[in-house]
Amino acid sequence: MLLRLVLITEIFSVIICIHRIYGVKVKFDMKTVLLFLGLLIVLEIVNTCQVSRLFSLLVYFLIFLYCVLKFKKSLFETIINNVLYLVVMTLLQFACLVPAAVVLPQNEYGRGLLVNCAVLLICIFVLPKFETYRFSKWMMQRREKLLYLSFGMLCIVALFILFQAKILHGLMGASILLLFPIVVLVFVLIKQWQKYQKVNRRIEEKQSLEENNRVYEDFLIQIRMRQHEINNHITAVLSMHHLNKTYEELVRAQEAYLGQIAEENRYNRLLVLGDSVVIGFLYGKLHELEEEAEVTYEIEVSAFQTVIPAYYLIQMLGILLDNGVEAVKGLNKLHHRIHLAIRERETEYEYEVRNPFPYVPFNELESWFALGKSKKGAGRGIGLYHLKYLCEELKCDLICRNKSIGEENWISFLIRVKK
């Protein structure tokens, strides 16, 4: 009778602890009652019948199944919460076992009942104050690190079991039973990691698109403001003959004034691209690079279409433009120039970014795309390495070469994208 009271109090403690981890009130509905009866039957069989202790592992399976059906959370969150309840129950039982052993040193069942009653009271009255469900949410927010940690721990346990098998010339029954769920969990964690990476990528894409759309809208506002001033500019040009006495003076004044207007509207050609996200990115990026170098660009397209997703095109162009401005920083100020070209060919689009740079042998150009290799110094070659990876994934051609323009050598990066 005392043994059954020990089992019942422990089952109640587990059920309440699980609900505390999930942050919901305990309701003894059909699922909870079935869990209670299932656990009681399994533990009764283990304690009264001559069955292997391995049979008691069925308890953890029943609890896991209950969490899946009852709380309907993701598989990864269910695994995390199951580990948390095991940790909490183990700590509470251990904390209560020491004083119970002092009070009832000889009576094993009485000591077990005292421990379980104390744990039950803690789960009912103390755990809610600690808001243990917040810890579960905190862990879910750090899912990527948790995935790596869980994967590492499972690998260590698996290696330990295999090492044990080498020493003992075979696997023990308990080890075999443990190894199977470890393999399953490893596959689950890998799947969850892939899912997490996809979600992260979507979030990054959304943030990038929103930011570049905002820049594009600012760009359009500036263009509209300048369009309203066009009549004033025309009037100013037509009135210049009143201030300049000779034809040569008039021509110089008009060239200077029109040159200023052209400079203010130098990025209007970007509108030919049509894609608001790409336009917004290039407009903001070229403005940013002007602080470091003289920026020129050419666009030769009739009907531009981003064959690859705009998010990846922005990444690739961003790497090339950043790489170009870094390259010219160490040169004479006369060479602080970057040129961007977007051209439409019959079967492809070309994106070229080039900058003045001393001649570089072909073998050295190839080494720039290796991880950790860069003309900027050791350990800084991540950008070009990532660019190469993107081009391979998106099936784009990437060409890096020396290009002679006038009497100068330029380094040219060219990306070709099939239509």
Side-chain angles (χ1 to χ4, degrees):
M1 182 63 185
L2 198 58
L3 173 61
R4 288 183 178 84
L5 285 174
V6 172
L7 297 179
I8 289 170
T9 51
E10 184 171 6
I11 292 170
F12 273 123
S13 299
V14 168
I15 291 173
I16 294 172
C17 182
I18 290 170
H19 282 76
R20 297 293 183 242
I21 295 293
Y22 277 94
V24 297
K25 293 181 179 179
V26 182
K27 292 182 180 179
F28 285 94
D29 53 9
M30 184 60 70
K31 293 187 183 73
T32 307
V33 171
L34 288 174
L35 174 66
F36 175 82
L37 294 174
L39 295 179
L40 189 61
I41 291 169
V42 171
L43 294 175
E44 183 71 20
I45 292 172
V46 170
N47 285 284
T48 58
C49 303
Q50 299 297 323
V51 296
S52 171
R53 283 280 176 180
L54 295 176
F55 185 73
S56 63
L57 293 177
L58 184 59
V59 165
Y60 302 110
F61 174 75
L62 291 175
I63 294 173
F64 183 82
L65 185 62
Y66 170 77
C67 292
V68 171
L69 298 175
K70 173 76 174 178
F71 303 106
K72 294 180 174 59
K73 299 294 184 181
S74 67
L75 182 60
F76 185 71
E77 186 171 353
T78 304
I79 293 172
I80 294 303
N81 287 341
N82 270 256
V83 172
L84 281 177
Y85 101 78
L86 286 171
V87 170
V88 171
M89 287 297 297
T90 302
L91 291 174
L92 291 179
Q93 287 177 342
F94 180 78
C96 296
L97 183 61
V98 176
V102 175
V103 176
L104 297 170
Q106 303 298 327
N107 190 338
E108 182 180 352
Y109 290 143
R111 186 170 62 248
L113 181 61
L114 184 60
V115 168
N116 288 339
C117 286
V119 171
L120 180 60
L121 291 173
I122 292 172
C123 289
I124 294 172
F125 298 108
V126 179
L127 282 186
K129 295 181 180 179
F130 284 94
E131 297 181 331
T132 47
Y133 66 92
R134 290 186 182 274
F135 185 67
S136 172
K137 290 181 179 179
W138 178 82
M139 293 183 75
M140 290 302 297
Q141 289 171 356
R142 287 151 181 80
R143 183 178 295 186
E144 188 173 17
K145 292 180 180 178
L146 200 59
L147 281 169
Y148 290 135
L149 180 62
S150 303
F151 183 77
M153 291 177 66
L154 288 173
C155 289
I156 290 170
V157 173
L159 288 172
F160 175 77
I161 292 172
L162 295 174
F163 181 72
Q164 184 186 58
K166 287 283 185 182
I167 295 175
L168 301 176
H169 304 288
L171 286 172
M172 297 172 61
S175 298
I176 294 173
L177 200 62
L178 186 61
L179 194 58
F180 176 72
I182 285 175
V183 172
V184 173
L185 281 173
V186 166
F187 280 109
V188 169
L189 288 173
I190 292 173
K191 196 70 178 175
Q192 288 293 319
W193 179 79
Q194 291 174 338
K195 182 180 176 182
Y196 178 77
Q197 291 295 96
K198 287 180 181 178
V199 171
N200 260 4
R201 194 176 295 117
R202 288 195 196 101
I203 293 172
E204 288 177 4
E205 287 179 15
K206 184 180 178 182
Q207 290 174 344
S208 175
L209 296 178
E210 288 176 352
E211 174 62 22
N212 289 310
N213 269 324
R214 183 188 62 77
V215 176
Y216 172 70
E217 289 170 3
D218 292 343
F219 180 38
L220 286 184
I221 290 171
Q222 291 186 30
I223 291 173
R224 291 191 187 106
M225 288 170 62
R226 288 168 188 159
Q227 284 177 336
H228 284 297
E229 298 170 358
I230 191 67
N231 290 332
N232 294 331
H233 290 310
I234 293 172
T235 302
V237 171
L238 292 176
S239 302
M240 283 183 177
H241 67 280
H242 297 297
L243 301 174
N244 298 277
K245 296 180 180 179
T246 66
Y247 176 74
E248 289 77 11
E249 289 178 354
L250 176 62
V251 170
R252 285 196 296 270
Q254 287 178 339
E255 284 179 348
Y257 189 81
L258 292 174
Q260 184 179 351
I261 295 173
E263 176 65 18
E264 289 177 355
N265 294 273
R266 62 192 177 282
Y267 292 123
N268 289 15
R269 179 66 179 163
L270 291 173
L271 292 173
V272 175
L273 296 177
D275 188 291
S276 62
V277 177
V278 177
I279 294 170
F281 165 74
L282 288 176
Y283 176 71
K285 194 68 180 175
L286 296 179
H287 259 299
E288 176 189 324
L289 296 181
E290 282 182 339
E291 298 178 4
E292 303 288 345
E294 178 188 342
V295 179
T296 56
Y297 76 97
E298 59 178 300
I299 296 177
E300 299 174 4
V301 296
S302 56
F304 178 77
Q305 292 180 343
T306 50
V307 183
I308 59 176
Y311 173 73
Y312 294 109
L313 178 60
I314 286 169
Q315 278 194 46
M316 295 192 303
L317 290 176
I319 291 170
L320 290 181
L321 290 168
D322 288 338
N323 184 76
V325 78
E326 284 291 332
V328 299
K329 277 183 179 178
L331 303 178
N332 187 292
K333 282 194 175 183
L334 294 174
H335 299 292
H336 285 197
R337 285 171 284 157
I338 296 172
H339 183 75
L340 166 69
I342 300 176
R343 309 182 191 94
E344 183 181 3
R345 303 303 185 198
E346 188 175 346
T347 60
E348 62 191 13
Y349 287 104
E350 290 183 350
Y351 305 92
E352 182 187 19
V353 175
R354 64 176 186 256
N355 58 269
F357 201 79
Y359 181 86
V360 180
F362 178 74
N363 290 340
E364 188 176 338
L365 288 176
E366 277 192 319
S367 72
W368 288 355
F369 295 92
L371 183 61
K373 297 286 185 179
S374 171
K375 61 183 179 294
K376 295 176 283 183
R380 297 183 66 190
I382 297 175
L384 291 179
Y385 172 80
H386 184 52
L387 175 66
K388 182 182 177 183
Y389 168 78
L390 287 175
C391 288
E392 288 173 352
E393 286 291 305
L394 299 168
K395 297 179 173 56
C396 305
D397 295 328
L398 174 60
I399 300 169
C400 179
R401 58 185 174 177
N402 294 279
K403 195 171 184 178
S404 181
I405 300 176
E407 296 181 357
E408 284 185 307
N409 187 75
W410 292 57
I411 295 295
S412 167
F413 291 89
L414 182 68
I415 298 171
R416 287 177 176 156
V417 181
K418 299 293 182 185
K419 284 187 177 179

